[in-house]
Amino acid sequence: MEYGIALIPGDGIGPEIVAQGKRVLDLAAELSGNVFHYHEVLLGGCSIDAFGVPLTEEAVQTCKESNAVLMGSIGGDAATSPWYRLPPEKRPEAGLLAIRKALNLFANLRPAYLYPELKGACPLKEEIIKDGFDLMMVRELTGGLYFGDRYTKEVDGTVTAVDTLKYTEDEIRRVAVKAFDIAMKRNKHLTLVDKANVLDSSRLWRKVTSQVAEAYPEVAFDTMLVDNCAMQLIRNPGQFDVLLTENMFGDILSDEASMITGSIGMLSSASLNETKFGLYEPSGGSAPDIAGKGIANPIATILSAAMLLRYSLDMDREADAAEEAVRRVLADGFRTGDIMSDGCTRVNTQEMGDLILERMRNAY
Ligand code: IPM
Ligand code: MG
């Protein structure tokens, strides 16, 4: 089979980590006999530098014509980068939001899993993590506060800023269905996270999600208020399987969930629409402080490439081999600086890529 894959290296450490993700895709192609055609796309600060805007229509078109997109990270240091002297709608992040919307990527999957080898990097106490945890955050990605009407204007002599949190029942239903489908393939437990004691939008989330739940009698469905969830994630993360939540809550909780895995450099993510198409990216940011040094952790990007193979191209065997290679490299004691601990061998971005490729080939 032949597939088109759009690559978005982006800014900061993005190009370094996407280079390693691409090596994994190349090896998957070699092992499977499939052919991948790559198309590089600019997004974020690099697109501003080249074209004056964070996302061009051509970039969107190239992504739409591909089977999947592998992305690195976008944005820079807000205190020093000239990109942040532009109006908000012209900054790098606006490009990311625009591409999510343009590609209709409403379901954002962010797994948070504690590798036994990384228990030492987890900031939680041993008695809390016990047997570890393995959860999947499903974040709604194209609605809510991020895309509602917003403005700042003077009202009765006082500057007033307004952001609108709006959801329709259809927007909730489609992501809820995705989340229940995922729960069916995991431990069949889904928790809706909301603020239904205060917000109308959350009450609609409860109503619609409860209706969807009726079609999945095998899935244990419960609800949790978002403030309590923030607490439960550090009190007992092992209680969760699939967490479903709206855009803003998901943004906040997914950073919290990533932190307890030891490093944000370990976490992949997938953003999906109604079809098999998806955009895959590490959960971490562009880390401008270490950009260009060749020391960034490429594992999250490699695991994102594995998700791309699995969800968009149905290449489960190659995805399994890549994920197994990551487990083995950690078991063999190799670490990038962010997850380094005593007795392990410190390696750089490229070396980590080499070690994973070698193991992926053997695991296949
Ligand atoms: C994320 C990021 C983005 C978001 C930013 C960069 C706009 O924090 O992907 O979680 O808030 O969605
Ligand atoms: Mg975020």
Side-chain angles (χ1 to χ4, degrees):
M1 295 282 287
E2 300 201 14
Y3 296 108
I5 298 178
L7 295 176
I8 305 183
D11 309 316
I13 59 170
E16 299 160 57
I17 53 180
V18 165
Q20 302 308 317
K22 177 172 177 292
R23 292 175 76 200
V24 165
L25 294 177
D26 285 339
L27 180 55
E30 182 200 317
L31 294 170
S32 64
N34 290 329
V35 176
F36 294 165
H37 301 285
Y38 299 103
H39 306 280
E40 215 168 284
V41 170
L42 297 185
L43 173 71
C46 57
S47 174
I48 296 174
D49 292 344
F51 308 117
V53 288
L55 177 69
T56 60
E57 194 41 53
E58 292 70 33
V60 171
Q61 210 41 47
T62 305
C63 292
K64 280 188 178 164
E65 286 161 9
S66 306
N67 295 92
V69 184
L70 181 67
M71 190 186 122
S73 51
I74 57 114
D77 180 353
T80 57
S81 165
W83 301 329
Y84 295 90
R85 290 198 283 275
L86 295 167
E89 67 280 5
K90 293 203 168 138
R91 293 180 193 164
E93 286 72 11
L96 182 59
L97 299 188
I99 201 167
R100 287 173 179 168
K101 197 70 170 177
L103 301 175
N104 198 24
L105 303 171
F106 61 84
N108 181 219
L109 280 42
R110 298 191 168 183
Y113 168 80
L114 184 66
Y115 286 88
E117 293 82 7
L118 293 187
K119 274 191 177 172
C122 173
L124 301 180
K125 287 186 186 150
E126 182 78 41
E127 68 242 42
I128 292 176
I129 40 178
K130 282 183 267 181
D131 304 325
F133 54 88
D134 178 359
L135 63 90
M136 175 70 87
M137 186 90 63
V138 180
R139 167 188 176 193
E140 199 292 327
L141 203 59
T142 53
L145 279 169
Y146 278 61
F147 294 94
D149 286 344
R150 79 174 98 256
Y151 59 80
T152 305
K153 70 177 181 197
E154 204 164 303
V155 181
D156 300 332
T158 302
V159 180
T160 307
V162 173
D163 295 283
T164 318
L165 203 183
K166 176 181 150 204
Y167 272 106
T168 66
E169 50 183 331
D170 295 341
E171 283 175 311
I172 299 169
R173 191 171 294 107
R174 64 184 182 176
V175 70
V177 166
K178 280 261 189 213
F180 275 97
D181 286 343
I182 290 163
M184 283 298 288
K185 293 190 188 163
R186 294 176 45 102
N187 291 325
K188 301 194 171 69
H189 174 202
L190 187 146
T191 305
L192 170 68
V193 180
D194 62 28
K195 191 67 185 171
N197 54 348
V198 179
L199 302 177
D200 255 40
S201 55
S202 285
R203 287 188 272 270
L204 185 60
W205 270 84
R206 277 207 185 181
K207 183 169 166 223
V208 174
T209 307
S210 303
Q211 288 165 356
V212 174
E214 285 168 22
Y216 297 84
E218 284 176 59
V219 177
F221 169 62
D222 51 26
T223 61
M224 189 178 273
L225 296 173
V226 63
D227 47 351
N228 185 27
C229 182
M231 183 174 85
Q232 294 298 334
L233 273 171
I234 52 170
R235 202 175 150 261
N236 177 15
Q239 70 184 287
F240 296 118
D241 177 22
V242 175
L243 289 167
L244 167 65
T245 192
E246 65 92 42
N247 204 345
M248 180 81 168
F249 297 159
D251 177 45
I252 299 166
L253 294 177
S254 62
D255 268 26
E256 188 186 1
S258 71
M259 188 58 224
I260 58 173
T261 68
S263 168
I264 197 159
M266 297 297 299
L267 294 184
S268 54
S269 81
S271 303
L272 309 172
N273 64 18
E274 309 271 12
T275 70
K276 292 194 86 66
F277 177 87
L279 181 149
Y280 301 82
E281 57 174 314
S283 283
S286 60
D289 51 323
I290 60 162
K293 295 189 179 157
I295 57 170
N297 185 348
I299 292 181
T301 315
I302 286 172
L303 293 173
S304 301
M307 282 181 109
L308 182 158
L309 293 168
R310 190 184 302 286
Y311 289 104
S312 286
L313 309 184
D314 286 321
M315 292 173 62
D316 285 35
R317 199 175 153 210
E318 292 73 18
D320 287 346
E323 288 169 2
E324 175 59 22
V326 169
R327 275 189 289 275
R328 288 189 194 174
V329 94
L330 294 173
D332 291 344
F334 295 105
R335 303 281 188 273
T336 42
D338 56 319
I339 48 173
M340 184 61 192
S341 60
D342 288 350
C344 292
T345 310
R346 185 189 287 256
V347 296
N348 64 27
T349 311
Q350 175 80 19
E351 289 162 340
M352 184 57 99
D354 294 345
L355 293 161
I356 290 173
L357 284 189
E358 193 183 305
R359 285 160 183 75
M360 180 173 162
R361 204 178 269 286
N362 291 334
Y364 190 69

